[in-house]
Amino acid sequence: MRTLITGGAGFVGSHLCERFLAERHDVVCLDNLITGNPFNIQHLQGNPRFTFVRHNISNHVEIDGPIDNILHFASPASPVDYLRHPIATLKVGSLGTHNTLGLAKAKSARYLLASTSEVYGDPERHPQREDYWGNVNPIGIRGVYDEAKRFAEAMTMAYHRSHGLNTHIVRIFNTYGPRMRLDDGRVVPNLMGQALRGQPLTVFGDGSQTRSFCFVSDLVDGIYRLLNAEFHEPVNLGNPNEVSILDFAKEILQLSSAKSQIEFKPLPQDDPKVRRPDITRARMLLGWEPKVDRHDGMRRTMDYFRGTLAS
Ligand code: UDP
């Protein structure tokens, strides 16, 4: 098996590269490194079954030889990153998806699109099931990511329906773990970095908005199972254990024994008020369930950030 992973030097992508290598696949990791980090794949570089290709997948791509699986994970994925790269985000979700689907068609490869809970926008239904169509502001600041991913889903289904391509769509909810960038602006690295530096923890709004955090190894396991399933509609993957951002900040304070205060900052535009996956579909279809408890996952993530800050 030979598997192409776009965005393979990113947070989730690099864990996927590891998993597919462990499953004895040859892995081609493609990344343009705008938000990915070569450090994430440094330890894989000596492996003869691992190849790194530096390329922007929004441009035409040619890969020699057979490819059995394509996982399209390239995209800025944190609100701060996609606000910093709005056009690149729109392009990789649209042109990048088209290019990878075209490659999958040419190689007769299985295809898996990394989509997102952002397709549900600021949801009016809770928890979110896959049959909910969402509440997205197309011209808001998050629209560049949300609409690109919605387009990507539509394009993926069109390739499935028109060309009979064996496609899969995962809607990824908030995920955390080692190899997140400390400066990616998301709540986990932000608050953990602040706690470890003894700085105030920035909670946006009054902190009553909720999220549900999934540890990266659980997510990767679900993705691996989904790729091998015969199912083409979107599947939510995430941890249904929901917490308010204020309580989450308090958990981080407790875990780090930091003496930091909590500092309230303005809530960014279109910040979803609630988010929790309904994972019935993943449970039934994949026999999948997150296993890593939040405290355990947070401890492992904090240890990683401690190491990053010390080096
Ligand atoms: N957030 C926060 N403080 C921060 C960073 C984020 O309170 O320093 C909040 C943010 O407003 C959102 C939640 O934490 O309500 C999760 O934000 P994140 O950027 O991780 O991703 P999102 O789930 O919004 O895509």
Side-chain angles (χ1 to χ4, degrees), residues 48-297:
R49 289 188 286 107
F50 180 79
T51 314
F52 174 68
V53 179
R54 187 166 181 173
H55 180 73
N56 182 348
I57 194 62
S58 299
N59 300 323
H60 179 76
V61 64
E62 297 209 4
I63 307 270
D64 289 336
I67 300 178
D68 303 292
N69 307 295
I70 297 180
L71 289 85
H72 182 34
F73 275 71
S75 178
S78 89
V80 168
D81 283 344
Y82 51 74
L83 297 186
R84 205 177 280 150
H85 305 286
I87 296 172
T89 301
L90 280 159
K91 287 173 82 172
V92 76
S94 53
L95 306 178
T97 301
H98 189 209
N99 287 336
T100 48
L101 282 165
L103 188 62
K105 180 167 165 264
K107 305 278 186 187
S108 304
R110 265 176 190 257
Y111 186 85
L112 186 142
L113 171 72
S115 185
T116 166
S117 56
E118 284 284 324
V119 300
Y120 302 120
D122 188 5
E124 288 160 327
R125 293 217 202 138
H126 194 64
Q128 292 75 55
R129 281 168 37 145
E130 290 88 347
D131 56 6
Y132 174 49
W133 293 349
N135 177 37
V136 170
N137 174 2
I139 58 162
I141 52 174
R142 300 172 86 109
V144 296
Y145 185 62
D146 304 6
E147 295 296 4
K149 290 295 188 183
R150 289 168 69 95
F151 174 91
E153 288 196 6
M155 186 64 119
T156 301
M157 289 309 293
Y159 265 69
H160 171 64
R161 293 188 180 117
S162 304
H163 296 308
L165 205 67
N166 190 353
T167 61
H168 306 80
I169 298 174
V170 54
R171 291 190 179 147
I172 301 172
F173 284 66
N174 293 67
T175 300
Y176 70 102
R179 304 206 194 114
M180 290 187 101
R181 271 184 14 245
L182 253 179
D183 66 348
D184 89 355
R186 280 187 274 209
V187 70
V188 173
N190 260 18
L191 300 193
M192 287 192 177
Q194 290 159 348
L196 292 170
R197 296 186 189 103
Q199 296 166 344
L201 269 58
T202 53
V203 167
F204 298 164
D206 62 5
S208 63
Q209 72 273 31
T210 67
R211 294 293 186 272
S212 312
F213 296 98
C214 183
F215 192 67
V216 65
S217 58
D218 281 332
L219 176 78
V220 163
D221 190 48
I223 291 168
Y224 187 78
R225 289 174 191 227
L226 178 60
L227 177 71
N228 294 302
E230 292 313 314
F231 189 79
H232 308 291
E233 294 199 3
V235 177
N236 288 338
L237 290 181
N239 191 320
N241 189 343
E242 185 179 8
V243 63
S244 76
I245 294 300
L246 184 57
D247 286 346
F248 187 60
K250 289 178 185 163
E251 286 179 10
I252 290 177
L253 280 180
Q254 218 169 26
L255 201 67
S256 65
S257 318
K259 301 277 174 293
S260 306
Q261 304 288 312
I262 290 180
E263 187 177 288
F264 292 93
K265 297 260 194 180
L267 191 66
Q269 190 196 325
D270 294 335
D271 197 285
K273 286 181 271 305
V274 289
R275 185 181 288 153
R276 171 156 62 101
D278 180 318
I279 58 165
T280 310
R281 188 174 275 181
R283 274 198 184 108
M284 309 279 286
L285 191 74
L286 313 173
W288 176 86
E289 187 116 39
K291 293 201 178 74
V292 180
D293 149 85
R294 189 164 68 240
H295 288 97
D296 187 25

